[in-house]
């Protein structure tokens, strides 16, 4: 009953936070974060209750806040902007478990891209997006064409040239490497927005057992800890950030952890994490015979060089404008009609940031932006898509697209239908015609986007 009561109270308080964005109310003075606002409302609520009823409710509220850090993707709700939390939009239809994993999304998309055009193991180190000479009028036609190309340098020594590049590296990678990755450096406003958006760490801990020990009625073990001293040594408190263990099946448990505590956990061996989790389970189940897991696997999104975190949120002082600033295409020269550099990824969607559908839709937006530019004819060469392997992910992820390529590997026949198609008009007329991006066989994808189960 207390859990139900506090869950309802918490939901109302969170909704009120969201209303600041939707209704543009002014928050109470000195309150700028979601964490501060939630605590303020919590304290007012608890004050009205008899002393003896407060503690258990306080602990449940604290659990809900720890859980929220994993949902929002910021380890500390005091770092999440109060005025902007409402900018995130939930897709109707609830969460969907993809029956066969992300391959059911990527499969239909990748099917139309010739395999040789998806390059794995090509980590991009430098993107020279403005090679144009200061005075282009002094260059001859061919020279100028070469100069106007974007040059992409990979860690493995390969070099690619493109008219335009769509950069989909995660915000964490932009935060870490944008200064060195882009030549010339990205404009100041883009760099400031990259700094202002948050890219939090959220990790999962999987515990696999030889035998079931959760009773059949128990689906989740919620962990209510007494107040944690946040100034204490991380080694003595990191595990208190795990908010629960959920039963995935009879022999598999899942715990979630966020923020600095998650980063610390990533430095520990699976063995140590496993021992600590066993200790916690024995304590909370009051059962010294809880078995040790036969296997413990933890994600390490913060430590992965091609992720450097999990997903984006809007930090105190940031806004949706920062997302738009990051996503804005860059033109090498003011008179250029085609942007050299475009951006996509979850951090580029103003209301679906932090999600797969946000990433997908922002990619479509960037591609459509290019396709709809007057004078773009995409029937000559298909996009070359390079994707590096991310050891933490089972997905094949697209990271950069280039429409021309100096490398032999990429000089493949153009057969893909995953491209801009000029609907019912001749190529000659393409510059003035309506161009649309079509990807055949992705009807199920739109069902997914509308929240309808693929089953
Ligand atoms: C624990 C967890 C749970 C989540 N749960 C959900 C959920 O329930 N629902 C939901 O919608 N979303 C969820 N997400 C978020 C979702 O996974 C991401 O928002 C989404 O994958 C982002 O897609 P993206 O294309 O922007 O970035 P990514 O999928 O990270 O793709 C970026 C790609 O760029 C590559 N790359 C990076 N640097 C370089 C480089 N220098 N050169 C070449 N390639 C590079 C990476 O290897 C990667 O392949 C979750 C994320 C995590 C971590």
């Amino acid at each position: 009953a207390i859990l139900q009561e506090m869950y309802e109270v918490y939901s109302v308080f969170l909704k009120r936070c969201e209303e600041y964005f939707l209704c543009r109310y002014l928050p109470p003075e000195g309150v700028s974060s979601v964490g501060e606002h939630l605590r303020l409302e919590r304290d007012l609520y608890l004050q009205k209750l008899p002393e003896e009823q407060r503690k258990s409710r306080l602990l449940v509220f604290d659990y809900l806040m720890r859980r929220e850090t994993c949902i929002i993707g910021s380890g500390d709700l005091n770092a999440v902007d109060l005025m902007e939390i409402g900018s995130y939009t939930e897709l109707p239809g609830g969460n969907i478990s993809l029956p066969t994993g992300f391959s059911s999304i990527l499969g239909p998309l990748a099917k139309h891209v010739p395999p040789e055009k998806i390059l794995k193991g090509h980590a991009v180190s430098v993107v020279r997006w403005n090679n144009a000479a200061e005075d282009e009028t002094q260059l001859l036609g061919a020279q100028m064409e070469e100069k106007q190309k974007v040059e992409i340098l990979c860690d493995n020594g390969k070099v690619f040239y493109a008219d335009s590049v769509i950069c989909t590296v995660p915000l964490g990678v932009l935060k870490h490497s944008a200064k060195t990755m882009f030549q010339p450096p990205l404009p100041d406003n883009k760099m400031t927005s990259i700094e202002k958006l948050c890219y939090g760490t959220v990790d999962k801990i999987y515990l696999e057992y030889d035998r079931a020990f959760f009773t059949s009625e128990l689906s989740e073990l919620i962990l209510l800890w007494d107040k944690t001293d946040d100034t204490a040594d991380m080694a003595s408190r990191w595990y208190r950030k795990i908010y629960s263990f959920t039963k995935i099946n009879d022999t598999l448990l899942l715990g979630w952890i966020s923020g600095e505590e998650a980063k610390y956990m990533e430095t520990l061996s699976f063995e140590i994490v496993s021992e600590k989790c066993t200790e916690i389970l024995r304590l909370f189940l009051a059962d010294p015979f809880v078995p040790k897991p036969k296997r413990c696997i933890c994600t390490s999104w913060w430590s992965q060089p091609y992720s450097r975190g999990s997903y984006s949120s809007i930090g105190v002082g940031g806004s949706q404008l920062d997302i738009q600033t990051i996503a804005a295409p860059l033109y090498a020269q003011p008179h250029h009609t085609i942007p050299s550099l475009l951006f996509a990824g979850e951090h580029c969607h103003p209301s679906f940031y932090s999600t797969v559908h946000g990433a997908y839709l922002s990619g479509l937006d960037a591609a459509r932006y290019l396709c709809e530019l007057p004078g773009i004819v995409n029937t000559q060469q298909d996009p070359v898509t390079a994707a590096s392997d991310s050891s933490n992910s089972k997905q094949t992820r697209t990271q950069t697209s280039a429409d021309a390529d100096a490398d032999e590997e990429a000089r493949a026949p153009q057969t893909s239908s995953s491209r801009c198609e000029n609907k019912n008009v001749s190529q000659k007329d393409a510059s003035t015609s309506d161009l649309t991006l079509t990807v055949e066989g992705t009807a199920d994808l739109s069902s997914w986007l509308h929240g309808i189960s693929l089953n």
Side-chain angles (χ1 to χ4, degrees), residues 70 88 95-96 102 122-125 155 168-171 173 177 181 199-200 202-204 256 299 301 305-307 309-312 344-348 352-360 362 386-391 393 395-400 448:
C70 291
Y88 174 79
N95 280 324
I96 292 167
F102 272 107
H122 283 61
V124 173
S125 46
D155 275 354
T168 69
V169 300
L171 180 63
V173 172
S177 311
M181 186 180 267
Y199 200 65
V202 178
D203 278 321
K204 293 181 181 179
W256 291 74
T299 58
W301 292 105
Y306 301 125
S307 301
S310 300
Y311 34 92
S312 306
E346 55 85 19
H347 53 286
C348 293
F352 294 148
Y353 50 86
S354 79
T355 67
V356 171
H357 46 284
Y360 171 76
S362 77
S388 76
D389 283 327
S390 167
S391 59
S393 165
Q395 307 171 34
T396 305
R397 287 164 170 177
T398 304
Q399 53 87 22
T400 53
W448 169 66

Side-chain angles (χ1 to χ4, degrees), residues 161-196:
Y161 293 92
D163 292 330
S164 295
V165 165
I166 301 177
C167 172
T168 69
V169 300
L171 180 63
V173 172
L174 287 179
K175 279 179 177 289
H176 182 267
S177 311
K179 277 195 188 117
T180 51
M181 186 180 267
F182 298 100
Q183 293 178 7
L186 297 177
D188 286 348
N189 63 341
K190 230 183 234 296
M191 289 302 288
T192 306
S193 291
I194 288 170
E195 284 306 312
K196 273 161 76 181

Side-chain angles (χ1 to χ4, degrees), residues 113-151:
V113 182
E116 70 275 13
K117 296 214 165 187
I118 298 178
L119 306 179
K120 296 179 185 170
H122 283 61
V124 173
S125 46
V126 175
V127 178
R128 294 206 177 106
W129 61 279
N130 193 349
N131 275 342
E134 274 179 19
D135 183 2
E136 289 179 352
T137 53
Q138 292 172 4
L139 296 169
L140 299 173
Q143 270 178 318
M144 193 156 91
E145 208 171 283
E146 183 71 355
K147 281 281 180 193
Q148 285 180 350
K149 297 260 186 225
V150 182
E151 193 179 4

Side-chain angles (χ1 to χ4, degrees), residues 24 28 75 77 82 112 171 199 222 225 228-229 234 248 265 309 313 346 348 355 395 425:
R24 292 281 134 192
L77 295 184
L82 178 61
H112 301 283
L171 180 63
Y199 200 65
I222 290 172
W225 296 98
T228 305
D229 175 7
M234 190 59 96
I248 304 292
M265 182 208 67
S313 58
E346 55 85 19
C348 293
T355 67
Q395 307 171 34
V425 288

Side-chain angles (χ1 to χ4, degrees), residues 12-215:
V12 171
F13 292 171
L14 191 66
K15 272 262 164 308
R16 285 204 199 131
C17 289
E18 289 165 2
E19 281 168 10
Y20 284 104
F21 175 83
L22 304 169
C23 308
R24 292 281 134 192
Y25 302 144
L26 281 182
E29 214 177 301
V31 176
S32 53
S33 73
V34 171
E36 287 164 336
H37 201 277
L38 285 173
R39 285 190 184 91
L40 190 75
E41 295 235 74
R42 175 200 68 188
D43 292 348
L44 289 172
Y45 179 82
L46 292 179
Q47 270 166 27
K48 291 182 194 140
L49 298 175
E51 180 79 37
E52 68 278 7
Q53 290 185 13
R54 290 183 195 160
K55 187 167 179 201
S56 50
R57 285 166 176 78
L58 186 70
L59 297 185
V60 173
F61 202 91
D62 176 64
Y63 143 74
L64 289 166
M65 285 181 76
R66 275 180 287 142
R67 180 174 171 267
E68 199 66 49
T69 62
C70 291
I71 297 170
I72 293 183
S74 169
D76 181 2
L77 295 184
N78 282 353
V80 181
D81 195 273
L82 178 61
M83 294 297 289
E84 294 291 321
I85 176 89
S87 65
Y88 174 79
T89 309
E90 193 80 37
L91 265 190
N95 280 324
I96 292 167
S97 260
L98 297 168
T100 53
F102 272 107
S103 54
S104 56
I105 300 292
L106 291 168
L109 292 169
K111 193 168 75 183
H112 301 283
V113 182
E116 70 275 13
K117 296 214 165 187
I118 298 178
L119 306 179
K120 296 179 185 170
H122 283 61
V124 173
S125 46
V126 175
V127 178
R128 294 206 177 106
W129 61 279
N130 193 349
N131 275 342
E134 274 179 19
D135 183 2
E136 289 179 352
T137 53
Q138 292 172 4
L139 296 169
L140 299 173
Q143 270 178 318
M144 193 156 91
E145 208 171 283
E146 183 71 355
K147 281 281 180 193
Q148 285 180 350
K149 297 260 186 225
V150 182
E151 193 179 4
I152 301 140
L153 280 66
C154 297
D155 275 354
N156 61 9
K158 298 268 176 68
V159 181
F160 299 88
Y161 293 92
D163 292 330
S164 295
V165 165
I166 301 177
C167 172
T168 69
V169 300
L171 180 63
V173 172
L174 287 179
K175 279 179 177 289
H176 182 267
S177 311
K179 277 195 188 117
T180 51
M181 186 180 267
F182 298 100
Q183 293 178 7
L186 297 177
D188 286 348
N189 63 341
K190 230 183 234 296
M191 289 302 288
T192 306
S193 291
I194 288 170
E195 284 306 312
K196 273 161 76 181
L197 281 193
C198 294
Y199 200 65
T201 299
V202 178
D203 278 321
K204 293 181 181 179
I205 304 168
Y206 286 99
L207 303 169
E208 193 186 5
Y209 294 88
D210 281 323
R211 64 173 174 86
F213 67 92
F214 258 39
T215 56

